[in-house]
Amino acid sequence: MSKLLVKADKGHGRVAHVTPKSAGWTYVGFDLHRLRPGENASGKTEDREVCLVFITGKGKAKAGGKDLGLLGGRMSPFEGKPWSVYIPEGSDWSVTADTELELAVCSAPGLGGGLPVRVIGPDDLGQEVRGKGTNTRYVTNILPEGKPADSLLVVEVITPGGHTSSYPPHKHDQDNLPDESYLEETYYHRLNPPQGFAFQRVYTDADKNGHRALDEAMAIEDGDVVLVPKGYHPCAACHGYDLYYLNVMAGPKRTWKFHNAPEHEWLMKA
């Protein structure tokens, strides 16, 4: 199995755990908690900032000494928009499930920005349609670069069955602004219906001999996490199975500037 593919555990509790150390990189962390009613997840941000995303279900949240009340609502990631909470460095947080709850914990270095805890409700989220034809997908911006944070960029995407996404292939692995930014990235995937599968390829440019430093093609199942340390990273959803993914990105500068694969650039004009 590819080292870029993290299989979430079955059952409940913390079912996926990605740290900068385990991923072999510097910035992005990602945890997934699957909780029964009454169960709790908690943590301390320490020198990192966190974005909690209520992927499904409801829970009572506290952060930074504040009682944030009952958050969440949708029971499927394929319906509506999520509730989220931004939590700065140096804060405690906890969530107690009111229903079956799937909670993502997205993290990256805090930079001393002094930002407050804030609830990000569905009405605060912008949505957009990207692509056309069988490259159409639906994007919900949870923590885009136009909203306050130190390092984190968080977005969720729904790709209909039979469509491609993160396509034409693009990358953001060079700290070369204004042309390209360096961002590590995780994809948390869900399928509808859940017995389906999709595909994701993570690959770098070929050298003069046609060799690539990284070239991994993975079959993605419901609940999988894919690590993107560098390179292009397109996805393909199979016919009959819609694909949801939650993206977490972070790097030395909080901006998303990507570079399209030159051989596929023509697709942008087709």
Side-chain angles (χ1 to χ4, degrees), residues 103-127:
L103 180 73
V105 183
C106 317
S107 71
L111 302 175
L115 297 169
V117 171
R118 73 178 188 274
V119 173
I120 305 169
D123 292 343
D124 300 322
L125 304 182
Q127 288 186 308

Side-chain angles (χ1 to χ4, degrees), residues 48-49 86 88-89 108-115 143 147-152 251-254:
R48 297 174 68 78
E49 63 180 359
Y86 173 82
E89 60 186 301
L111 302 175
L115 297 169
L143 203 58
K147 299 294 183 179
D150 285 346
S151 300
L152 278 170
K253 298 181 179 67
R254 189 174 178 260

Side-chain angles (χ1 to χ4, degrees), residues 152-261:
L152 278 170
L153 297 165
V154 182
V155 63
E156 64 177 23
V157 179
I158 293 177
T159 306
H163 287 217
T164 50
S165 193
S166 296
Y167 190 84
H170 70 266
K171 70 181 184 72
H172 37 72
D173 58 12
Q174 299 293 318
D175 189 6
N176 184 33
L177 290 170
D179 297 323
E180 185 176 350
S181 55
Y182 174 86
L183 294 170
E184 302 159 354
E185 185 169 16
T186 56
Y187 278 66
Y188 170 60
H189 290 284
R190 295 290 306 277
L191 276 298
N192 184 33
Q195 71 270 25
F197 60 91
F199 295 99
Q200 185 161 19
R201 184 185 182 197
V202 181
Y203 68 100
T204 54
D205 288 312
D207 63 21
K208 62 182 180 181
N209 295 315
H211 300 145
R212 302 181 189 275
L214 177 64
D215 195 352
E216 301 277 357
M218 291 159 279
I220 304 305
E221 296 180 307
D222 189 54
D224 286 350
V225 179
V226 171
L227 311 180
V228 183
K230 60 182 178 180
Y232 308 98
H233 40 277
C235 301
C238 294
H239 172 71
Y241 295 94
D242 294 341
L243 175 67
Y244 162 97
Y245 55 79
L246 177 71
N247 282 144
V248 184
M249 293 182 283
K253 298 181 179 67
R254 189 174 178 260
T255 186
W256 183 53
K257 301 294 183 184
F258 60 87
H259 170 76
N260 287 316

